[in-house]
Amino acid sequence: MSRFFLESGYTSLNKAKEELCGDRVEATVKGRYTTLVLADGLGSGVKANILSTLSSKILCTMVSENIPMRDCIETLIGSLPVCKVRGVAYSTFSVVHVNDEGVGTLFEFDNPQAIYIHGNKCTDLKREELTILGKKVYRSDLRMEENDVVVLMSDGAIHAGIGMILNFGWERKEIKEYLDRAVKPDMSARCVACLLASACNDLYLDKPGDDTTIAAIKARRPQPVSIMVGPPVDKEKDDFYVAKFMATEGKKVVCGGTSSQIVARYLGKELITKFDFPDKDVPPIGMIEGIDLTTEGVLTLRKLLGYSEKYLDVNDLTPKCFRKQDGASLLADMLFEQATEVTFFVGQSVNVAHQGLPIDTTMKLKLIERLSHNLKKMGKKVTVYYD
């Protein structure tokens, strides 16, 4: 059976006037398994944040080690602080534990039932009721196929709009109908989560009455992307450097004018520069036959870094898809939404065109370092070669 890349992402809305979110999401990859946990702590604010943080970390750590769910719940109950008012230590949770063949399990305790998107249509997973320490926990078996998505949510999602736009909140049936209309097959897990969280925020009229978190995990085919940024220090290594870059699998991106000229010469193709400016702050892109995307260097990467910061912000509700046609937006779509693995080929040659400008090799290296860090936080496998 073919192996998938398991991609996860989430977005959270804090309850109005609360600085901390009472929901918490943890994700980890261990061996061939990916574990995703969404925990919702009792109440809101600091107390709920502590409960959900403890719950998510305990469950994520133990489940990723394949410890039986009964033992996980016993440890959880024994670890949570007890509420003095209600006399309970309480945090609801949803846990996905799935391998790179899409086979795994979903456990749910008191969170809204997860939604399974298969064939770009929302369906329900079969659930088995278990009783563990007197608590009802539901188990579902997973057999994910390409582009299938499991959507987890805290109860703030189904409460959205109560007493505002809707009388009884956003019913699960209506959430499924919305996802059927809105979700596209090429959307990332983070994009799906943001899409639903944004709709909940609209129903709350930008003043959430409860902490609301949407988390998603998606099975995708691996999509490697290689990026060449700058020429090598030794000019005589140009051909060797480009040959190594071109030998990689997947999509190819060249950033920088000098790099583009070197690649075009090596391929025996013409470098064509466009002169339109979809974004006035981003230099125009170019075209080389055999290369998927050709952009300017440092200025485009700087813009891309800003996009990556917003993309990772779990409280940012701006769309996680990039439709503009400037170099930074096209590169963001390729790296954030499409890529599962990113390889940088970073040349450390000093660019004579940058003499007298506040741009140097150190700045370029720092940009690559920060971009690599952010891509890893998105769950991408990142490799950087320096020459």
Side-chain angles (χ1 to χ4, degrees):
M1 186 181 294
S2 299
R3 294 186 177 181
F4 295 117
F5 174 80
L6 278 304
E7 172 186 78
S8 62
Y10 75 99
T11 301
S12 290
L13 310 174
N14 292 8
K15 182 179 178 180
K17 299 181 180 180
E18 292 287 356
E19 292 186 11
L20 294 175
C21 186
D23 304 333
R24 183 79 175 198
V25 175
E26 286 289 328
T28 188
V29 178
K30 190 172 182 65
R32 293 178 56 193
Y33 277 84
T34 297
T35 305
L36 177 70
V37 179
L38 190 165
D40 181 355
L42 177 69
S44 60
V46 175
K47 176 179 66 178
N49 181 267
I50 292 171
L51 290 170
S52 62
T53 299
L54 283 171
S55 300
S56 59
K57 288 188 177 294
I58 290 169
L59 285 171
C60 197
T61 301
M62 296 185 72
V63 173
S64 66
E65 295 289 347
N66 293 309
I67 295 173
M69 183 54 64
R70 179 177 294 275
D71 294 341
C72 295
I73 294 176
E74 286 179 352
T75 302
L76 187 64
I77 292 174
S79 303
L80 296 183
V82 176
C83 174
K84 292 181 179 180
V85 177
R86 297 174 176 85
V88 293
Y90 190 79
S91 177
T92 66
F93 61 79
S94 302
V95 182
V96 174
H97 185 56
V98 62
N99 66 19
D100 56 12
E101 292 181 349
V103 178
T105 51
L106 163 68
F107 293 96
E108 299 173 284
F109 170 61
D110 267 12
N111 269 347
Q113 184 180 349
I115 293 172
Y116 186 52
I117 303 176
H118 173 69
N120 214 43
K121 290 292 182 182
C122 293
T123 62
D124 292 333
L125 293 163
K126 292 183 179 179
R127 307 173 89 200
E128 175 189 2
E129 184 179 307
L130 309 174
T131 301
I132 302 177
L133 299 179
K135 301 182 182 296
K136 290 182 180 180
V137 178
Y138 293 92
R139 172 192 167 124
S140 300
D141 290 326
L142 296 174
R143 296 288 188 275
M144 298 181 73
E145 298 180 11
E146 184 177 359
N147 291 330
D148 284 1
V149 185
V150 179
V151 181
L152 311 178
M153 65 194 83
S154 63
D155 58 6
I158 58 174
H159 292 160
I162 286 183
M164 297 177 180
I165 294 177
L166 304 172
N167 291 330
F168 303 106
W170 206 14
E171 295 184 3
R172 189 168 176 276
K173 177 184 175 183
E174 295 167 331
I175 295 176
K176 290 167 66 178
E177 290 173 352
Y178 170 77
L179 291 174
D180 282 340
R181 294 192 306 271
V183 174
K184 308 302 179 187
D186 60 347
M187 285 183 175
S188 67
R190 190 178 297 273
C191 186
V192 172
C194 181
L195 195 72
L196 183 52
S198 182
C200 291
N201 189 57
D202 289 342
L203 291 174
Y204 276 125
L205 303 178
D206 294 331
K207 295 179 180 179
D210 193 6
D211 296 310
T212 304
T213 297
I214 311 296
I217 184 166
K218 180 175 184 176
R220 296 183 50 197
R221 295 288 177 193
Q223 174 60 72
V225 174
S226 296
I227 308 177
M228 179 175 170
V229 184
V233 175
D234 185 351
K235 290 184 178 180
E236 301 204 355
K237 282 188 174 182
D238 283 357
D239 286 355
F240 172 79
Y241 186 64
V242 178
K244 185 177 178 183
F245 165 69
M246 293 301 299
T248 59
E249 294 183 1
K251 295 186 175 183
K252 308 286 191 300
V253 180
V254 179
C255 293
T258 305
S259 302
S260 302
Q261 293 172 9
I262 292 171
V263 172
R265 184 176 67 243
Y266 175 86
L267 296 176
K269 304 295 182 181
E270 183 183 2
L271 169 59
I272 301 171
T273 302
K274 292 189 174 183
F275 293 100
D276 51 338
F277 284 79
D279 186 324
K280 62 180 178 61
D281 296 325
V282 181
I285 64 173
M287 295 180 65
I288 304 173
E289 185 179 338
I291 300 298
D292 296 280
L293 179 62
T294 304
T295 76
E296 180 273 341
V298 172
L299 299 178
T300 299
L301 291 174
R302 186 185 293 164
K303 189 80 169 181
L304 179 69
L305 179 62
Y307 286 155
S308 72
E309 302 287 355
K310 286 194 71 175
Y311 190 87
L312 283 168
D313 185 349
V314 298
N315 300 120
D316 181 83
L317 295 176
T318 55
K320 304 305 177 189
C321 50
F322 301 87
R323 302 304 183 202
K324 292 171 64 177
Q325 295 301 301
D326 63 277
S329 297
L330 291 170
L331 190 50
D333 182 68
M334 190 177 291
L335 296 185
F336 307 164
E337 284 290 290
Q338 300 178 32
T340 60
E341 179 180 344
V342 180
T343 303
F344 287 97
F345 291 83
V346 184
Q348 300 183 71
S349 175
V350 176
N351 192 334
V352 294
H354 290 164
Q355 290 182 358
L357 297 175
I359 299 173
D360 58 19
T361 302
T362 302
M363 176 184 292
K364 179 175 68 178
L365 297 180
K366 286 182 178 179
L367 279 171
I368 298 300
E369 182 181 336
R370 292 174 64 187
L371 275 171
S372 299
H373 175 72
N374 286 350
L375 287 167
K376 288 176 183 177
K377 287 177 70 175
M378 294 176 199
K380 320 291 184 182
K381 179 181 178 183
V382 180
T383 306
V384 184
Y385 294 111
Y386 294 99
D387 203 337

